Amino acid sequence: MTAATTGAPGTTANTAAPAYAKTDRTVPSRSRERAHYDRETVHSILDAAYLCHLGFVRDGAPVVLPTLYARVGERLYIHGSTGSRPLLAAGKADPGLPVCVTVTHVDGLVLAKSAFHHSINYRSVVVHGTAYQVTDEAEARTALDALVDQVVPGRAADSRPANAKELAATAVIRLDLEEVSAKIRTGGVNDEPEDLALPYWSGVVPVTRTYGTPIPSEGQDPALTTPDYLAAL
Amino acid sequence: MTAATTGAPGTTANTAAPAYAKTDRTVPSRSRERAHYDRETVHSILDAAYLCHLGFVRDGAPVVLPTLYARVGERLYIHGSTGSRPLLAAGKADPGLPVCVTVTHVDGLVLAKSAFHHSINYRSVVVHGTAYQVTDEAEARTALDALVDQVVPGRAADSRPANAKELAATAVIRLDLEEVSAKIRTGGVNDEPEDLALPYWSGVVPVTRTYGTPIPSEGQDPALTTPDYLAAL
């Protein structure tokens, strides 16, 4: 299964298979033991984040922009102003805009005895494919709800949905999850045996994302207390 | 000043100017008020991170990979195995490998009354340019020290430097900071006046990166206590 045969608008990924098929682009050139292709692993990494780095080619050169995304089944959605460059390109391009979407979590700093073996514990997903503009209003509304809920689960139902004017100003693109891989480094330090006696501390520093106390907008109804779904972050 | 005229190996960026010159690629198509070009702002965003997303073009398609970087003056350095695809490409390509390097901090979740005005507080830097392989050993060693110190300031001096074999296995590429912009969203929610009475909580949830208690490698000399520089993280 390749993007070329299944990436056309309206097609659906083969969700029956427990893993994404490997392709030349999704098998890394090094650290292959860190690569994972099962949907469960890929989905869990995607579902734990909301910011991706979207890569596309403009005038032959690469462009990488940070942007929000949402996963709905075997699709990713990305949105933006109808005037934004990649979203315009995805709408104009036939057939679609070739993209690479990458999501990365940093989980730890790995400090080895040697500079060479310093590393990072991380989980990442790289999606290759072609993005298409979403033209169906129902699908666009589903995507916009998912984009809000990806950041704060439960929030879409607790906000005013887009009106017609806002919907017209928003472009949504979709990318099917077909050519996908995850890469994970976890665990401790790989010190060389001959380095173990060196007088340098060796170990891992855990890294996490932390949410602070929500700051309410000024002047709002004091009866609007901090929603329960924010406590779950 | 463009990458085409100053990006060749061995040249030095004009560090006298307080800001990077704007180019067609660094002026965003929307939210231009969020764009910044002064070196101080760009450097502060780069110096507060260590993970970037490196974009390049392979077989006409975009590729975005997470990787560590370091800033040394007006240069970024990225390293990897000599067998890694982009590093090989930067070495083979004449003149160099066109890349886009993007660094993003998430600082807050912006929850508006309307789904449309939901946003993220963030600081990002996007660097466009051409990466070249570092062939000078002294520059490579400077870069490798900087890569370790970018993650944990002070750590390079407290670890074993790369030996000849490790140095030979490591490729380093450099990217001059010339075509660069920062983008920052900060502050509160932009609710529409007509939405202010809606019964939805509105506000900002701060997001920070947090470091946990360092976990020492098993079996190391108990006299090696956690280094002071880790407390500064």
Side-chain angles (χ1 to χ4, degrees):
Chain A
M1 184 168 67
T2 69
T5 54
T6 62
T11 63
T12 309
N14 174 12
T15 56
Y20 299 102
K22 295 181 190 181
T23 74
D24 182 54
R25 295 199 285 197
T26 63
V27 176
S29 53
R30 57 190 183 120
S31 301
R32 291 191 183 189
E33 74 287 357
R34 296 183 186 168
H36 301 263
Y37 302 91
D38 62 288
R39 291 176 199 273
E40 191 180 341
T41 299
V42 167
H43 291 180
S44 74
I45 292 171
L46 291 173
D47 293 354
Y50 40 80
L51 187 96
C52 67
H53 281 80
L54 168 69
F56 57 98
V57 179
R58 189 167 65 214
D59 300 333
V63 181
V64 179
L65 299 178
T67 190
L68 298 175
Y69 73 92
R71 180 181 77 86
V72 178
E74 292 296 332
R75 276 191 175 155
L76 296 187
Y77 290 104
I78 289 171
H79 74 325
S81 156
T82 49
S84 89
R85 288 167 176 166
L87 297 174
L88 273 174
K92 278 181 187 165
D94 181 16
L97 177 73
V99 297
C100 180
V101 170
T102 300
V103 171
T104 308
H105 301 267
V106 174
D107 296 324
L109 313 181
V110 181
L111 278 63
K113 303 269 188 183
S114 62
F116 185 76
H117 283 296
H118 276 63
S119 188
I120 295 282
N121 279 340
Y122 65 94
R123 291 163 290 145
S124 66
V125 164
V126 176
V127 184
H128 298 274
T130 304
Y132 300 95
Q133 215 170 66
V134 173
T135 51
D136 179 74
E137 185 180 322
E139 186 180 2
R141 287 196 174 278
T142 298
L144 294 177
D145 280 352
L147 281 152
V148 170
D149 280 339
Q150 183 90 21
V151 181
V152 181
R155 176 66 183 179
D158 193 38
S159 58
R160 174 179 65 70
N163 58 33
K165 186 183 164 191
E166 292 166 345
L167 202 61
T170 307
V172 178
I173 58 176
R174 69 158 176 264
L175 171 64
D176 283 344
L177 295 173
E178 293 174 341
E179 197 169 357
V180 184
S181 61
K183 213 168 169 188
I184 300 174
R185 193 217 188 270
T186 186
V189 182
N190 296 327
D191 279 320
E192 299 287 343
E194 61 266 34
D195 288 340
L196 290 177
L198 291 175
Y200 310 121
W201 185 92
S202 162
V204 174
V205 183
V207 180
T208 48
R209 174 159 287 179
T210 310
Y211 295 92
T213 305
I215 305 162
S217 298
E218 286 178 25
Q220 80 182 306
D221 184 348
L224 289 171
T225 53
T226 307
D228 288 342
Y229 49 73
L230 288 183
L233 287 178
Chain B
M1 183 167 68
T2 70
T5 54
T6 61
T11 64
T12 310
N14 174 11
T15 57
Y20 299 101
K22 296 180 190 181
T23 74
D24 183 51
R25 295 200 286 197
T26 63
V27 175
S29 53
R30 58 193 181 118
S31 301
R32 292 193 182 188
E33 74 287 357
R34 294 183 187 168
H36 300 264
Y37 302 91
D38 62 289
R39 291 178 200 272
E40 191 180 341
T41 299
V42 167
H43 291 181
S44 73
I45 292 170
L46 291 173
D47 294 354
Y50 40 79
L51 186 95
C52 67
H53 282 80
L54 168 69
F56 57 99
V57 179
R58 188 166 68 213
D59 299 333
V63 181
V64 179
L65 299 179
T67 190
L68 298 175
Y69 72 93
R71 180 182 77 85
V72 178
E74 292 296 330
R75 276 191 176 153
L76 296 187
Y77 290 104
I78 289 171
H79 74 325
S81 155
T82 49
S84 90
R85 287 166 175 168
L87 297 175
L88 275 174
K92 281 180 185 166
D94 180 18
L97 177 73
V99 297
C100 181
V101 171
T102 301
V103 172
T104 308
H105 301 267
V106 174
D107 296 324
L109 313 181
V110 181
L111 278 63
K113 303 271 188 182
S114 62
F116 185 77
H117 284 296
H118 276 62
S119 188
I120 294 282
N121 279 340
Y122 65 93
R123 291 163 291 144
S124 66
V125 164
V126 176
V127 184
H128 298 274
T130 304
Y132 300 95
Q133 216 170 62
V134 173
T135 52
D136 179 74
E137 184 180 321
E139 186 180 3
R141 286 197 175 276
T142 298
L144 294 178
D145 280 352
L147 281 151
V148 170
D149 280 338
Q150 183 90 20
V151 181
V152 181
R155 176 68 183 178
D158 193 37
S159 58
R160 175 178 66 69
N163 58 33
K165 186 182 165 192
E166 292 166 344
L167 202 61
T170 307
V172 179
I173 58 175
R174 68 158 175 264
L175 172 64
D176 283 344
L177 294 174
E178 293 174 341
E179 197 168 358
V180 185
S181 60
K183 213 169 167 187
I184 300 174
R185 192 214 186 273
T186 187
V189 182
N190 296 326
D191 278 321
E192 299 287 342
E194 60 267 34
D195 288 340
L196 290 177
L198 290 176
Y200 309 121
W201 185 91
S202 161
V204 174
V205 183
V207 180
T208 49
R209 173 159 288 181
T210 309
Y211 296 92
T213 305
I215 305 162
S217 298
E218 286 177 25
Q220 80 181 306
D221 184 348
L224 290 172
T225 53
T226 307
D228 288 343
Y229 50 74
L230 288 184
L233 287 178

